[in-house]
Amino acid sequence: ICFSSPFDESSVDFLEDLDVPAYKIASFENNHIPLIKKVLSTGKPLIVSTGMASLSDLDTIKNLVEISKVEHFALLKCTSTYPAQPKNSNLRTIPVLRSIFNCEVGLSDHTLGIGAAIAAVSQGATIIEKHITLSRKNGGVDSSFSLEPIEFKSLVSECKIAHQSLGGIH
């Protein structure tokens, strides 16, 4: 499913013209209340990265979601460093966020490789966001921690295996 992260209200209007099915609020905009309200006014699912947000900030967003009656809302645990170090990922936060905010929780992953994303699945992540590039050799601001297509394919298959491996409690 293709969707986008708007960075201002006029971008929401543009994306609405394209009929995007959902919106993601980036970490740097998760305190941009007019933008969040504009996105919520569309009634479409909302995904919010938590990087740089306090629990109070996230509570404000959750309250706005409840007022708007948007049905589908998720948070992405995010460490806002680029690239992020695995030791700073604090993935045990995922089930805590799920418990506090009663919503789906995933990972916005800026680490190198796929290990952190697979570990996030073991903590209950239901969404994995990872940057992708056709080739790191092409450069770019996020190329160092982006996955190339073959690596992305591995991410998907290994996350599926990790999820299947959770099984039940026996």
Side-chain angles (χ1 to χ4, degrees), residues 8 20-22 24 37 47 61 115 123-124 144 153:
D8 59 38
V20 297
K24 184 217 169 212
K37 286 181 175 179
I47 301 168
I61 295 168
Q123 293 296 313
S144 69
K153 183 176 180 182

Side-chain angles (χ1 to χ4, degrees), residues 87-114:
K87 67 181 179 181
N88 298 327
S89 293
N90 299 310
L91 299 178
R92 289 191 172 113
T93 305
I94 291 170
V96 173
L97 290 172
R98 181 182 307 283
S99 175
I100 292 171
F101 296 105
N102 191 31
C103 65
E104 294 299 317
V105 179
L107 175 66
S108 178
D109 185 19
H110 304 123
T111 63
L112 303 177
I114 65 173

Side-chain angles (χ1 to χ4, degrees), residues 1-73:
I1 298 171
C2 222
F3 58 95
S4 185
S5 294
F7 293 96
D8 59 38
E9 294 90 329
S10 65
S11 297
V12 177
D13 293 331
F14 174 76
L15 292 168
E16 278 300 289
D17 286 343
L18 298 176
D19 198 27
V20 297
Y23 289 92
K24 184 217 169 212
I25 300 294
S27 294
F28 293 99
E29 273 65 51
N30 64 24
N31 62 358
H32 188 330
I33 300 305
L35 173 63
I36 293 168
K37 286 181 175 179
K38 177 83 171 185
V39 167
L40 289 171
S41 74
T42 69
K44 294 178 180 175
L46 175 64
I47 301 168
V48 177
S49 280
T50 64
M52 304 172 9
S54 67
L55 285 177
S56 176
D57 294 333
L58 298 177
D59 192 51
T60 297
I61 295 168
K62 177 67 175 184
N63 288 335
L64 291 171
V65 169
E66 289 173 352
I67 291 167
S68 74
K69 303 202 184 329
V70 164
E71 290 183 38
H72 301 289
F73 168 65

